[in-house]
Amino acid sequence: MLNNLRSSLQPHLEKIGKTFAATGISPNGWSCIGLVFAFASAFVYGWNIEFSLIIGGIILLVAGFFDIVDGQVARVSQKVTRTGGFLDSVFDKIAEVAIFLGILVGGFAEPYLVFLAITFSLLVSYTRSRAESLGVKLQGIGIGERAERLLVIAIIGIIGFMEYAVIIVIIIAAITFIQRIVVTAKALKAVSYTHLRAHETRHDLVCRLLLE
């Protein structure tokens, strides 16, 4: 859902990209920095010291910021590559799982809730990956993409209600999972119908030519 706002924020995001691109650090380098901050957040959650929810949440927001930076640096420096996109996607999943494991180790939510949150979060990512391999674009589809999920964890965690944050993540991720299945199924059905109609049209044309 937040991805849909990026077009309106693009001028500001480009400025951020140009600023960080001027450092000379590659997009993959910024991805690694974001991953390090995500690991740091997970460690703070897992350590469960005083104010760990606040500190971990702030660090998680910083990690999310660098998740924006890497893509913008790649665009403004014209270094968008399939390898970079692949690594960014893999790093995102590693970071998300690490965050949930930190929450689990820190005892901020029931284990079964953390398991469900991880499961639905990964299923949301899998449905997009599988759908896009079939030619169906799902970016921006659903109310619980990765950015929304981590924002919920960070903000609601900061105010001290981490277990509720995990429950909200489960709900929005499950809804997004279902939304993406429905959208993909409809898109693939429409494509199949179009191909069928095209085949029937070619068949009718051949029959007319043979009958002439």
Side-chain angles (χ1 to χ4, degrees):
M1 191 166 61
L2 290 177
N3 279 322
N4 293 329
L5 298 175
R6 290 201 176 189
S7 57
S8 60
L9 296 175
Q10 195 56 40
H12 304 289
L13 295 176
E14 284 183 4
K15 290 180 181 178
I16 292 174
K18 290 176 181 177
T19 300
F20 283 89
T23 63
I25 299 176
S26 69
N28 289 341
W30 289 115
S31 294
C32 290
I33 292 172
L35 182 61
V36 169
F37 273 97
F39 280 148
S41 176
F43 176 77
V44 171
Y45 284 141
W47 198 8
N48 195 1
I49 58 173
E50 189 176 6
F51 304 119
S52 61
L53 286 178
I54 296 174
I55 298 170
I58 292 172
I59 297 174
L60 180 54
L61 291 174
V62 174
F65 172 74
F66 283 116
D67 190 41
I68 295 173
V69 168
D70 59 5
Q72 294 305 314
V73 169
R75 289 182 181 89
V76 300
S77 60
Q78 297 184 339
K79 293 181 179 178
V80 178
T81 64
R82 288 189 295 179
T83 301
F86 170 76
L87 290 176
D88 183 53
S89 179
V90 171
F91 286 176
D92 284 349
K93 304 306 169 291
I94 293 173
E96 192 167 9
V97 171
I99 293 298
F100 282 119
L101 288 179
I103 293 169
L104 176 64
V105 172
F108 291 111
E110 291 292 331
Y112 76 92
L113 292 176
V114 177
F115 172 77
L116 286 173
I118 292 175
T119 299
F120 279 115
S121 293
L122 293 178
L123 284 173
V124 166
S125 299
Y126 175 76
T127 49
R128 176 180 172 181
S129 176
R130 190 71 182 95
E132 292 189 350
S133 72
L134 297 173
V136 180
K137 296 297 181 182
L138 289 181
Q139 182 174 351
I141 300 297
I143 63 172
E145 294 186 285
R146 180 177 179 273
E148 287 88 349
R149 296 194 300 270
L150 295 186
L151 201 58
V152 166
I153 291 294
I155 301 241
I156 298 182
I158 285 174
I159 62 178
F161 298 101
M162 181 58 83
E163 186 158 276
Y164 288 108
V166 174
I167 293 172
I168 292 172
V169 166
I170 293 170
I171 294 171
I172 63 175
I175 292 172
T176 301
F177 175 56
I178 294 170
Q179 284 178 303
R180 290 186 169 185
I181 289 176
V182 171
V183 170
T184 302
K186 286 182 178 179
L188 293 176
K189 184 177 180 180
V191 170
S192 298
Y193 178 77
T194 301
H195 286 170
L196 177 62
R197 293 297 300 164
H199 175 74
E200 290 177 346
T201 300
R202 289 194 298 269
H203 181 267
D204 292 342
L205 178 60
V206 171
C207 289
R208 284 199 299 271
L209 290 173
L210 291 175
L211 292 173
E212 288 180 355

